[in-house]
Amino acid sequence: MPLFTSAPHSLCILRLSAIGDVCHAIAAVQTIQTTWPSTKITWVVGKVEAQLIHDLPGITVIPFDKKLGLAGMRTIWHQLKDQQFDALVHMQLALRASLLTVGIKAKYKVGFNRKRAKEGQWLFTNRKIEDTASAHVLDSFYAFIEYLGVPKREPSWNIPLSEVDLAFIDTHVSSEKPYVVISPAASKDERNWLTERYAQLADWLNEQGYQVVLCGSPSEREKQLGTAIESLAQSPLINIIGLTSLKQLTAVLKKATVVIAPDSGPAHIATTQHTPVIGLYGHSNPKRTGPYNSLPYVVSVYEHHVTQQQNKPIEDLKWSTRVKGDHIMQDITLDMVKEAFLRLRHQ
């Protein structure tokens, strides 16, 4: 039986981070809105991620600054002290997020089932969804809304972009040729593809008639990676790493022909804009964390390495098993990525 047989008055969504996971959550939350347009939705989200979702239609967004620790939690509790939600949808496993739920008042606090609920999340909830261990992250978020009583549907996204956001790329890229975005940095350097292969791929894309745009965050390591790729490439690149807001980045990805990236936020932002993605995977299971609408075009060496490291067939491993090592991504060859690109463009 679903938790609700008719639209609840109010829901609080708790998904703080990361950007890719927030993108998955947007699809689930907007499906709730489509089914229950009268339900008032409040979303507690990380400070950085709030830049992407702060103006989602019909949602009250409450940014949480994790760097403030308990003081940040108290700020959230004060903002919500006069609200009693019908349900708190607790989509994050981290202990910090669970502690944050203590001061949020809700009749039902819905979390993962005990088998999946890491860091003691099950202690902070009074309702549990079914096991989602063998599901893409986006599908696991849909399991929450199905538990509430919302039928699953094809995911879609509505992230408002201003004319200023959409015009950003026009000041950097010629409209005479299409462009491909390479977002080279994952959350950890070992999950990046090889710098020289990014440069070789950029040169090949240039020969195919595409402009190549490098994008990423303003972190020093990402800017250094972009500079290194530029220095190795023989063709001109458009490097906007660190120059965009999250909304401007979303607009850049929206207008791209293809996005090429390791497991990272931009790959999932591109998916929200219906831009095809070639994901480069070695350390995490692409069937669980890959770009949702572009899984057939993922270039992956994960399956080979995870079975080798665990000495078990993949069907006997936990869905979330990760591969370790800083040499893994070198097994993705330039030809593998070229083949995926040509297959995608000629589908």
Side-chain angles (χ1 to χ4, degrees), residues 24-303:
H24 300 322
I26 291 170
V29 173
Q30 292 187 329
T31 299
I32 295 174
Q33 289 182 293
T34 300
T35 306
W36 292 332
S38 65
T39 299
K40 295 179 181 179
I41 296 178
T42 298
W43 188 338
V44 181
V45 70
K47 182 179 178 181
V48 172
E49 291 77 8
Q51 298 173 32
L52 182 64
I53 72 165
H54 69 91
D55 57 353
L56 292 183
I59 297 174
T60 300
V61 174
I62 309 291
F64 170 64
D65 189 348
K66 65 181 181 181
K67 293 180 181 178
L68 297 179
L70 182 57
M73 293 186 189
R74 285 174 173 160
T75 298
I76 300 296
W77 296 338
H78 179 74
Q79 287 179 265
L80 298 176
K81 65 183 176 63
D82 296 326
Q83 295 195 52
Q84 171 80 30
F85 296 100
D86 293 314
L88 167 64
V89 184
H90 184 5
M91 293 179 169
Q92 191 128 9
L93 293 170
L95 179 59
R96 178 193 292 115
S98 291
L99 291 172
L100 185 54
T101 69
V102 172
I104 300 175
K105 291 174 283 188
K107 180 178 180 181
Y108 302 112
K109 295 189 176 183
V110 183
F112 289 98
N113 72 346
R114 189 163 178 173
K115 180 180 178 182
R116 172 89 188 272
K118 299 177 182 177
E119 300 193 33
Q121 194 220 45
W122 61 274
L123 292 168
F124 297 84
T125 59
N126 56 20
R127 293 291 186 275
K128 275 72 173 169
I129 66 170
E130 296 296 318
D131 180 30
T132 60
S134 298
H136 191 282
V137 173
L138 190 151
D139 292 319
S140 74
F141 290 168
Y142 264 84
F144 277 91
I145 69 170
E146 290 179 89
Y147 181 85
L148 295 178
V150 175
K152 185 176 180 180
R153 56 186 293 171
E154 196 71 23
S156 62
W157 295 263
N158 174 22
I159 300 176
L161 297 172
S162 70
E163 290 301 320
V164 173
D165 295 330
L166 291 165
F168 172 85
I169 194 62
D170 298 333
T171 64
H172 294 81
V173 177
S174 168
S175 60
E176 295 181 1
K177 291 198 299 184
Y179 67 88
V180 171
V181 168
I182 296 177
S183 180
S187 59
K188 295 182 179 179
D189 288 341
E190 67 175 12
R191 299 176 191 171
N192 299 344
W193 198 30
L194 277 63
T195 306
E196 60 270 23
R197 291 185 193 167
Y198 279 131
Q200 292 164 358
L201 177 64
D203 289 336
W204 179 79
L205 289 167
N206 185 269
E207 292 171 2
Q208 305 305 305
Y210 295 94
Q211 301 172 88
V212 177
V213 176
L214 301 180
C215 76
S217 81
S219 70
E220 196 56 39
R221 71 178 188 89
E222 292 200 31
K223 289 193 287 187
Q224 289 176 1
L225 176 58
T227 299
I229 294 170
E230 278 190 288
S231 69
L232 292 172
Q234 303 300 307
S235 56
L237 305 182
I238 301 162
N239 185 352
I240 59 170
I241 293 175
L243 300 181
T244 60
S245 67
L246 270 180
K247 284 298 192 80
Q248 289 169 333
L249 174 59
T250 302
V252 170
L253 298 170
K254 179 183 181 69
K255 293 185 176 182
T257 301
V258 177
V259 172
I260 301 170
D263 187 8
S264 61
H268 302 297
I269 295 174
T271 298
T272 72
Q273 302 306 301
H274 306 288
T275 302
V277 179
I278 296 174
L280 310 179
Y281 278 69
H283 291 84
S284 57
N285 186 347
K287 292 180 180 178
R288 180 174 177 270
T289 64
Y292 193 79
N293 289 337
S294 299
L295 295 179
Y297 306 106
V298 165
V299 180
S300 174
V301 294
Y302 168 82
E303 296 81 1

